[in-house]
Amino acid sequence: MLRKKDKKNGSTLVVALLVLSTILISTLSMTLVVVRERKASIGSVGSSRAYQASEVGVEKVMQAITRGNYATIGDMVTGTGFTCANGMIDAIDYKVELLDSTNTQIACSNSSALVSTIAKIKSIGILANTKRAIEAKVSNKITKNLMHFNDNSDDSSFYVDGYTINNNNVTFSDSTPTAIDSTKYGVFSSGKYLTVEADNAETLDNWNFDDNDFTIEAWVKISSRPSGSRNYTMISRCNDSDNLGTCNFYFNIDSDSINFYYSSEKLGRIEPMSHSYTTTTNTWHHFVFERKGDVGYFFIDGTRHFAGNFGSGDKIKFDSDTANELRIGINHNISGVVNNDSQFIGSMDEIRITKGVARWTTTTFTPWDIEYAWND
């Protein structure tokens, strides 16, 4: 399947703040929002504290929207423990209103409304009789690639205009069992794979994980396990060179383990992270690799497993050559043709790559059985 934070301290802002001035802030290092000051009482300590309270409201609600993995607003309110009153999220010193793309309120009591319909939030900080409000536009850009495999490979690529997606004979099936809610999935066999080429510098940088958090995940089903030196590569970023060392990263399974390999900028070589695991055949599994700080983790069907440690501050080498494609189902080539030893054989669905966030923060979670939306 494919689908497609600069927060200023309130006390610093109060000196230079203009009524209705617009500033660009970055919340949680992952979501760009435009904030507009609605009411100001410049120079007042109470006003400054009310403004800071409104910022807290933006941060907490934006975190729930972009990191909570909630499908509906009802799920979000319940999962975060928010209090909903008069259609707004109600805390002791702030209230937050949810708005859609037409600037119409979405009541937080509307349990069936989708989180993805929230286009803007308005946070009102309250201190005694002083109120300060800011508005934040939700523009989630942490999901860098999301594939649903519904009929064609690029049906829901998040940045479809910035990518060229090439389907090399991958087919699509809805034969049972499916991974996600009776939707189609991609079927891979010898010589069948996808490449995702960046059309510009902005989209190319989506694969530059540097030393930041990130998450790579997919639903996977195989009918037989790879044997000998073979592995099944799910996702990689490699070029057409015969040298596997040119890859920036690749995520695969072999006969008795799940693995993530990355090119260490500090060490100047490919470094492995692995967890012993024998993949059950003819069963859908949810596989995740994520980096959180300097630690790597695998999640297998929602259970966390230690993968290994990145060196302190170690960066994943990034090759800005556009020949280094994102590849689904293979890694590098050998003598100009697909490396069959890395060819994925089986089915995949709902591939998602997230930059800047380790999405799964608990030791266990229940993988979604519905398609992700762009704002998840």
Side-chain angles (χ1 to χ4, degrees):
M1 303 182 170
L2 274 176
R3 287 192 174 192
K4 297 249 250 228
K5 299 181 182 190
D6 220 7
K7 178 177 173 184
K8 304 283 188 181
N9 183 285
S11 60
T12 303
L13 281 175
V14 74
V15 176
L17 191 62
L18 299 176
V19 177
L20 298 178
S21 64
T22 302
I23 61 173
L24 185 67
I25 69 170
S26 166
T27 302
L28 306 173
S29 298
M30 64 181 172
T31 301
L32 293 178
V33 296
V34 174
V35 173
R36 176 171 292 170
E37 172 79 9
R38 283 299 194 190
K39 295 182 179 179
S41 178
I42 298 174
S44 164
V45 173
S47 176
S48 177
R49 290 178 179 174
Y51 184 87
Q52 290 174 322
S54 65
E55 285 190 303
V56 171
V58 166
E59 182 171 333
K60 288 185 176 297
V61 175
M62 195 69 75
Q63 182 178 31
I65 292 171
T66 60
R67 297 186 65 176
N69 288 299
Y70 300 112
T72 68
I73 292 174
D75 293 338
M76 182 180 75
V77 170
T78 300
T80 56
F82 287 147
T83 297
C84 184
N86 299 316
M88 301 174 66
I89 293 171
D90 194 348
I92 294 174
D93 51 2
Y94 63 83
K95 300 178 186 293
V96 178
E97 182 180 23
L98 311 177
L99 303 166
D100 65 17
S101 59
T102 67
N103 216 37
T104 301
Q105 184 188 53
I106 309 170
C108 57
S109 56
N110 186 346
S111 60
S112 62
L114 297 176
V115 169
S116 58
T117 61
I118 304 172
K120 185 164 60 176
I121 62 176
K122 179 179 178 181
S123 179
I124 305 169
I126 304 168
L127 184 68
N129 295 320
T130 303
K131 295 182 179 181
R132 295 282 291 276
I134 56 177
E135 293 178 354
K137 182 180 179 182
V138 178
S139 181
N140 188 350
K141 294 184 179 180
I142 61 171
T143 299
K144 300 305 180 183
N145 192 253
L146 181 55
M147 298 182 168
H148 300 302
F149 299 110
N150 294 329
D151 293 323
N152 63 78
S153 61
D154 62 356
D155 61 344
S156 50
S157 181
F158 183 67
Y159 283 115
V160 67
D161 292 334
Y163 294 143
T164 298
I165 301 177
N166 301 301
N167 182 2
N168 296 275
N169 303 309
V170 174
T171 58
F172 307 91
S173 174
D174 59 2
S175 298
T176 56
T178 59
I180 302 292
D181 196 27
S182 300
T183 63
K184 291 186 178 181
Y185 50 87
V187 180
F188 297 74
S189 58
S190 182
K192 298 181 179 182
Y193 59 95
L194 297 165
T195 62
V196 183
E197 300 173 6
D199 295 340
N200 54 61
E202 180 182 358
T203 50
L204 178 63
D205 192 60
N206 289 337
W207 319 134
N208 183 11
F209 298 142
D210 201 67
D211 60 351
N212 300 310
D213 294 355
F214 65 90
T215 308
I216 302 174
E217 56 193 304
W219 282 94
V220 171
K221 178 167 70 75
I222 60 174
S223 57
S224 63
R225 286 183 286 273
S227 59
S229 63
R230 281 188 56 82
N231 69 78
Y232 291 166
T233 296
M234 296 171 282
I235 303 167
S236 70
R237 184 173 188 258
C238 303
N239 64 24
D240 290 333
S241 169
D242 292 350
N243 183 3
L244 189 60
T246 63
C247 295
N248 295 160
F249 61 85
Y250 48 103
F251 185 19
N252 67 28
I253 55 175
D254 57 29
S255 60
D256 58 4
S257 65
I258 182 170
N259 314 287
F260 181 80
Y261 296 84
Y262 73 98
S263 180
S264 167
E265 189 172 283
K266 180 178 288 187
L267 300 176
R269 62 174 183 252
I270 298 291
E271 285 290 289
M273 291 189 176
S274 298
H275 172 71
S276 296
Y277 177 74
T278 301
T279 304
T280 306
T281 58
N282 300 311
T283 301
W284 283 102
H285 298 282
H286 187 247
F287 290 154
V288 178
F289 177 82
E290 74 174 22
R291 177 175 184 166
K292 184 172 179 59
D294 289 329
V295 183
Y297 297 102
F298 295 109
F299 288 83
I300 301 173
D301 297 329
T303 299
R304 187 173 72 185
H305 304 275
F306 175 74
N309 291 308
F310 291 86
S312 178
D314 192 9
K315 300 178 180 180
I316 295 179
K317 180 182 177 182
F318 175 68
D319 189 339
S320 60
D321 186 347
T322 55
N324 272 35
E325 307 161 318
L326 189 72
R327 298 179 170 203
I328 312 299
I330 58 166
N331 54 39
H332 73 306
N333 290 356
I334 293 180
S335 300
V337 298
V338 172
N339 174 16
N340 284 325
D341 283 348
S342 72
Q343 172 74 61
F344 182 87
I345 307 294
S347 302
M348 284 193 281
D349 202 357
E350 205 67 3
I351 292 174
R352 181 169 67 169
I353 299 176
T354 303
K355 178 181 176 180
V357 173
R359 286 188 177 269
W360 310 112
T361 59
T362 58
T363 55
T364 61
F365 70 93
T366 301
W368 283 24
D369 58 359
I370 60 174
E371 290 183 343
Y372 294 125
W374 73 269
N375 200 31
D376 296 335

